[in-house]
Amino acid sequence: MQWFPWLTPYYKQIIQQHQIGHAHPALLLQAHAGMGVDALVWGIARWLLCETPQEHKACGHCHGCQLMLADNHPDWYPLAVEKGKNIIGIDVVRETCEKIWHSPQQGGARVIWIENAQQLSESAVNALLKTVEEPPANCWFLFSTPQASQLPATLRSRCVQVTLTPPNEAQGLAWLAREHPLPQPELQTALRLSGGAPAQALAFIESPRWQERSALAEALQSALPQQPMLLLPLLVGEACTEKIYWLMAYLLDALKLQRGGAAWLTHIENQAASQYLSTLMDELSLQAILRQWRECHTLLTQTPQVNAELVVSDALLVWETALQK
């Protein structure tokens, strides 16, 4: 599993707590997508399950390390949503809790990782609480989530929370430049659109969505102001909310340009679309349209089975009316 340099301070701090005997049995790791929290969890688990750790590192040679590398360690319990489901149910949690009360099969630690812990069902959380509060000796819970506030307070209160913040932009750009040959303005755009998470920015650049974003920029300049509805095919379909997020970033960039904030743009390598938008509408009109698209984004994000095409069409019609005025 790939290691990321911005994880090292968190890793060393957590391992040091174990070394001095101050580690909490339940750790809640909050991390934005693309921060590599799975690599951090893997590194912590390997150290805990290593029979002869060397300072901050697992030895890589003992039986425990070999079992981890083979993804076959009997005292390593990774739990996640099963394929075709959207919650982590009570059955798998109960089964795991029962297992860890037996002696560890390798005679050392037991490590339970619950990925995307916000997807635990209410009954699964309740089944966990007593064991998390009073776990067996040398038993460690690792929870990871992009948003800790989505977990019940009863579970959060039993954990020590560590929030992984994105590296500073210079460090993120340096890492991206080593991984991909794109010019810096494009790398910087990808990084800013990814909330500063370098691994997510890299995945974005290497996906078809990167070209879709460029296509949207071109369409903005050809469809506006007369025919905003031409944008509909580019905004609906797969990753609809992400495409609307790109659009909102273009609108926000237009506002920044009107206020002389060119240094703070998000779409750095393609300022033409934002510059064009800044000429079509005044500041108040841009703010109103940006609020409209923010409401659209929220509705699509938070409402299950909503008709995305209808919602986006309504927003485009509002925009068309505003442009005509």
Side-chain angles (χ1 to χ4, degrees), residues 235-252:
L235 293 173
V236 297
E238 189 176 354
C240 178
T241 55
E242 184 176 12
K243 295 171 185 177
I244 293 172
Y245 172 67
W246 304 337
L247 174 58
M248 290 192 296
Y250 279 118
L251 289 165
L252 189 57

Side-chain angles (χ1 to χ4, degrees), residues 93-112:
V93 168
R94 277 180 173 168
E95 181 183 351
T96 302
C97 287
E98 289 174 4
K99 287 180 179 178
I100 63 175
W101 280 103
H102 299 293
S103 298
Q105 296 190 42
Q106 294 300 309
R110 284 147 294 181
V111 184
I112 303 92

Side-chain angles (χ1 to χ4, degrees), residues 95 142 157 159 161 168 180 190 201 206 245 263 271 299 320:
E95 181 183 351
L142 301 171
S157 65
C159 303
Q161 182 174 326
N168 64 59
H180 204 284
E206 294 178 341
Y245 172 67
Q271 298 184 26
L299 181 61
E320 182 176 351

Side-chain angles (χ1 to χ4, degrees), residues 216 218-235 247 276-277 280 293 312-313 315-324:
L216 176 60
E218 295 174 6
L220 284 170
Q221 297 173 78
S222 60
L224 301 179
Q226 288 85 7
Q227 297 176 292
M229 289 301 294
L230 293 177
L231 299 173
L232 182 62
L234 297 175
L235 293 173
L247 174 58
Y276 180 65
L277 288 172
L280 290 180
W293 282 110
V312 174
S313 296
L316 288 170
L317 287 172
V318 171
W319 200 1
E320 182 176 351
T321 302
L323 286 168
Q324 288 172 355

